[in-house]
Amino acid sequence: MNLNLYGHAGSWLMVDCGATFNVPLRPEFDKRFDIHREAFVIPDPAFIVDKVDQLAGIVITHAHEDHIGALLHVWSKLQCPIYTTAFTAEVIRRKFYSAEIFVELPIVEVNSGDDLDIGPFNVRWLSITHSIPEPQALLISTPLGDVFHTADWKIDKAPVVGNKFKPSRFKALAHKNIIAMVCDSTNALRKGYSISEKECEKGLGALISKATGRVVVSCFASNLARVITLARIAQQTGRYVALAGRSLENMVSIARLTGHWPDELSFTPLRHIGYLPPHEVMIVATGSQGEPNAALSKMATGVFRACLLEKGDSVIFSSIVIPGNEAFIEKVLQQLRDIGVNVTQSENSTHIIHASGHPNELDLQDMYSWVKPNCAVPTHGESAHMLANANIAREAGVLKQVVGTNGDVFDLVNAALFPSFTDVARLAIK
């Protein structure tokens, strides 16, 4: 989850407002409704709620749950403008509608390259590549200096959705006074460069073209590039492709609305899939993390209404195993094996069938060498990832690195770390 606050001249700017799972996939029982609910954790907003009159606005960098999920729970206490791109704005609106929160959100839609003054902050949106449409890095400027906030990113020269990564955009930042680069550390322990999303097309195409029965591919619903790739492979291999899962249907709908879905690609209604010969069927399904109520889990247990999986069918996990979900995924894997389904996971496949949306070691090294910030502030991941990020920054020539923990406060001008929000008044005065 992410909730970042930048303070200057008596005002605050919030960047992202995300949620995470308390225990991966373990639901809590709600006695009032006799149902299980997923247990979310959100950042504690008490500090900024107490100063809500000083909050100039909320900037959302992209539409992943760990960057927007807490808005449902905290916006009513903040009620300030939300600045984001059109795709992310539509995801946020639909989240509120689905939760039956019927409010007219004060969303200001921006485009990449826009410059806006939000209170005493000037914010420029910089297009970057990630695993969802319209991801944005931010250049946050004040008279004291500029902060480069990367959000989630990678170097992808063939991203399938959106424009390819442009180094020149970030090399230009070296001519500014970048007092700090606040940077994604998720894959800092991985060597080399990150894999391009385009590479998945070749690997998935090889597996699907050899399959003789039905093919089910499970991936993250927000990874529209992967869904587009699978729709193209379906065309190339003569298969009808259907979506299984409301989150997938919703994301494709938003992609169509905002111009990110290719007009030549279409889906077969799921209700027709059961009447087609198995070798003509492809299903893109939710449930890559073994979620009990997702489409793939229902297929594995034989209770999926649209079709039954049979011996000789294939299931491909075009995703990674998120730590903590191993037992859930293994349960689904065993159920699929019991049916006689051929299962392929990205971790043990000889083909590239998944690409992460985060920077590896050399991505980070390049970015630090281009931007040349005075200080590196690693974020995301656990302490090992952030320390690895700091070491990469040091090797790239960044003289100062500040690694903290959740709730820490940084004086970005002087690259100093305070232990907690209790000392934040000193920052506000500065």
Side-chain angles (χ1 to χ4, degrees):
M1 58 182 172
N2 298 269
L3 192 157
N4 310 276
L5 287 166
Y6 290 95
H8 173 66
S11 291
W12 294 88
L13 181 73
M14 183 183 293
V15 176
D16 292 327
C17 191
T20 188
F21 288 102
N22 183 15
V23 179
L25 304 181
R26 191 176 77 186
E28 290 184 343
F29 190 73
D30 191 330
K31 293 181 180 180
R32 296 173 299 167
F33 302 102
D34 195 33
I35 59 173
H36 283 85
R37 295 188 183 275
E38 293 172 322
F40 279 104
V41 177
I42 66 170
D44 181 357
F47 168 80
I48 194 61
V49 168
D50 289 342
K51 299 172 178 58
V52 69
D53 58 324
Q54 299 174 24
L55 182 60
I58 303 172
V59 177
I60 303 295
T61 60
H62 64 284
H64 277 145
E65 190 68 16
D66 60 331
H67 292 256
I68 66 171
L71 279 173
L72 286 173
H73 307 280
V74 306
W75 186 83
S76 63
K77 300 176 182 178
L78 306 175
Q79 299 202 22
C80 63
I82 300 170
Y83 299 83
T84 194
T85 62
F87 178 87
T88 304
E90 185 62 19
V91 174
I92 293 169
R93 290 189 190 102
R94 293 193 186 194
K95 281 184 71 67
F96 274 72
Y97 184 84
S98 296
E100 298 185 355
I101 303 174
F102 304 117
V103 294
E104 190 69 30
L105 292 171
I107 296 178
V108 180
E109 292 189 12
V110 299
N111 297 309
S112 180
D114 281 356
D115 262 298
L116 281 181
D117 289 326
I118 306 174
F121 307 93
N122 177 267
V123 181
R124 180 183 298 172
W125 281 261
L126 302 173
S127 180
I128 206 160
T129 48
H130 186 40
S131 55
I132 196 168
E134 301 178 5
Q136 302 292 311
L138 305 172
L139 180 65
I140 303 170
S141 301
T142 75
L144 293 180
D146 301 343
V147 174
F148 177 45
H149 184 102
T150 72
D152 292 1
W153 68 283
K154 65 186 284 190
I155 294 177
D156 195 335
K157 298 177 181 178
V160 179
V161 173
N163 298 320
K164 67 180 182 179
F165 187 93
K166 295 181 179 179
S168 60
R169 181 174 292 138
F170 304 100
K171 290 178 180 178
L173 298 181
H175 303 294
K176 293 183 172 289
N177 176 26
I178 304 296
I179 57 175
M181 175 169 147
V182 181
C183 182
D184 181 1
S185 308
T186 306
N187 286 347
L189 293 170
R190 296 188 183 182
K191 302 296 182 182
Y193 286 103
S194 56
I195 297 170
S196 171
E197 184 63 37
K198 188 68 174 176
E199 291 296 311
C200 296
E201 184 172 355
K202 187 186 300 182
L204 288 165
L207 286 177
I208 293 167
S209 63
K210 294 176 184 176
T212 55
R214 297 177 188 84
V215 173
V216 178
V217 184
S218 190
C219 62
F220 299 116
S222 62
N223 194 336
L224 282 163
R226 194 73 45 81
V227 182
I228 289 172
T229 292
L230 291 168
R232 286 177 176 155
I233 292 171
Q235 279 190 345
Q236 296 161 6
T237 56
R239 291 179 180 266
Y240 296 91
V241 60
L243 297 174
R246 283 178 295 178
S247 56
L248 275 166
E249 294 170 355
N250 185 50
M251 281 294 175
V252 170
S253 171
I254 296 171
R256 292 186 192 279
L257 180 68
T258 55
H260 292 289
W261 189 263
D263 292 336
E264 70 275 11
L265 299 179
S266 60
F267 293 98
T268 298
L270 189 59
R271 63 183 181 275
H272 295 170
I273 286 295
Y275 300 99
L276 296 171
H279 67 278
E280 294 182 3
V281 170
M282 181 197 294
I283 301 172
V284 183
T286 56
S288 66
Q289 300 305 305
E291 300 96 318
N293 294 321
L296 184 58
S297 291
K298 292 178 179 179
M299 293 180 200
T301 54
V303 296
F304 190 65
R305 293 177 61 185
C307 72
L308 288 174
L309 294 184
E310 301 172 316
K311 183 177 181 179
D313 290 343
S314 299
V315 172
I316 300 169
F317 286 78
S318 183
S319 59
I320 59 168
V321 176
I322 294 176
N325 294 340
E326 294 87 352
F328 299 96
I329 295 171
E330 184 55 39
K331 181 179 180 179
V332 173
L333 289 173
Q334 189 55 55
Q335 290 168 333
L336 293 169
R337 295 188 192 109
D338 290 344
I339 299 170
V341 169
N342 303 310
V343 179
T344 304
Q345 292 179 272
S346 61
E347 288 83 359
N348 54 29
S349 175
T350 56
H351 300 282
I352 295 174
I353 60 174
H354 176 68
S356 172
H358 300 275
N360 284 15
E361 178 186 27
L362 293 184
D363 300 64
L364 290 166
Q365 189 177 95
D366 282 354
M367 187 67 91
Y368 280 121
S369 65
W370 295 333
V371 176
K372 295 179 170 44
N374 295 334
C375 178
V377 183
T379 60
H380 270 309
E382 299 176 1
S383 57
H385 303 92
M386 290 187 281
L387 288 170
N389 188 337
N391 289 333
I392 293 166
R394 184 180 297 108
E395 292 169 3
V398 180
L399 297 179
K400 298 178 181 178
Q401 310 85 35
V402 187
V403 179
T405 58
N406 183 35
D408 282 342
V409 178
F410 299 87
D411 176 352
L412 295 179
V413 176
N414 299 306
L417 171 64
F418 298 128
S420 70
F421 274 120
T422 57
D423 291 325
V424 80
R426 284 192 286 170
L427 274 182
I429 292 170
K430 288 185 180 182

